[in-house]
Amino acid sequence: MRSRALVQALATAALAAAGGCRFDAPAYDGTRYACAPPDERCPPGHVCVDGFCASGEGPPGDVDAAPVNTSTMRVEVAYDTSILSDATTQNGAALEFLEMDAAPRRVALVQLDLAGLPADATVVAAELHVTIFDPLESGTFQLFPLTESWSEAGATWDEREPGVPWSGGLSVPTLDANALLGEFAPRVAGDAVAALDAALVQGWLTAPGTNYGFAVVSTSPDGRGGQMRSSEYAAAPAERPYVLVMVAAP
């Protein structure tokens, strides 16, 4: 059986190979996990005590030297497309880019393939990696979970699949506006990363039938937007969007 330190080292190496380690919590120093402000996150079954993750099984403040095995896995985008309020019957599944604008409203739809993750794993952290080629000049990009199925080749502003309208009407796809999955504000072209709500990703893993993906919308106060590479981008596959998920095995 591999040591916990070795497992963590392998996970860190995998992140570095994928473009650099960006996860900073829970941190691992080879003997125990550190939990630093502002989020002070710890692995499942542990709490942050005096800067380190305690198991809670011993005396108050007792710190577990090696609390959990973690690994980091790359999750590919299964489907993505853009829908446009100014071209309500147009589908963008074949395009090599995703569009997000505030006026006219343009929304990117993305769904992840979580089949490669262990079904009984706990999601510790997750982050979306994208390549921006048209940066956002004002506002942010917000990610919200979608609450009903859609077809990559058939989704438009009017319909989520041919002949089936979005139940939210024609103004927006049906998303959960109270469950912010992530938010970022890329101001320059190139790589961009958005931290994702681990609990929401966990929900998709635990109940795959609820994984309808997410919408990416622009919050620009002056109608601005931007573009990023889609999963169809052929010239440089490394620039396609993906997600890194850190999981803890039971």
Side-chain angles (χ1 to χ4, degrees):
M1 181 179 294
R2 293 174 175 169
S3 69
R4 287 180 170 86
L6 176 58
V7 171
Q8 182 63 26
L10 291 173
T12 301
L15 273 173
C21 181
R22 296 178 183 270
F23 289 117
D24 58 3
Y28 191 67
D29 66 2
T31 59
R32 57 183 180 173
Y33 284 93
C35 45
D39 49 9
E40 299 185 334
R41 287 181 293 179
C42 287
H46 295 73
V47 295
C48 188
V49 178
D50 296 330
F52 289 93
C53 296
S55 65
E57 298 176 356
D62 181 36
V63 175
D64 192 329
V68 69
N69 284 331
T70 63
S71 60
T72 300
M73 305 181 70
R74 174 170 169 146
V75 172
E76 302 298 335
V77 170
Y79 310 108
D80 57 7
T81 187
S82 299
I83 57 175
L84 292 64
S85 67
D86 54 336
T88 59
T89 61
Q90 179 175 320
N91 171 269
L95 299 178
E96 295 188 313
F97 58 88
L98 297 173
E99 295 184 86
M100 298 76 61
D101 273 298
R105 189 83 179 276
R106 299 186 174 191
V107 176
L109 308 181
V110 180
Q111 187 169 11
L112 305 176
D113 180 6
L114 301 179
L117 298 181
D120 57 350
T122 298
V123 177
V124 177
E127 55 189 23
L128 172 68
H129 290 245
V130 301
T131 302
I132 300 291
F133 67 93
D134 178 12
L136 185 64
E137 297 171 304
S138 61
T140 65
F141 289 142
Q142 290 186 329
L143 286 58
F144 294 100
L146 291 164
T147 58
E148 58 187 347
S149 63
W150 50 280
S151 164
E152 180 183 40
T156 67
W157 193 261
D158 288 355
E159 300 176 337
R160 57 189 178 92
E161 55 188 61
V164 183
W166 296 98
S167 62
L170 304 184
S171 58
V172 292
T174 310
L175 53 80
D176 186 348
N178 296 315
L180 183 63
L181 176 66
E183 185 172 21
F184 64 127
R187 296 289 190 257
V188 297
D191 296 340
V193 177
L196 304 182
D197 187 305
L200 292 175
V201 178
Q202 179 72 62
W204 292 337
L205 181 61
T206 303
T210 65
N211 177 17
Y212 302 121
F214 56 90
V216 186
V217 301
S218 169
T219 69
S220 172
D222 52 356
R224 303 296 183 92
Q227 297 175 313
M228 61 187 183
R229 304 299 187 196
S230 74
S231 61
E232 281 72 36
Y233 188 57
E239 296 186 8
R240 296 171 182 171
Y242 64 92
V243 171
L244 289 182
V245 182
M246 181 182 286
V247 296

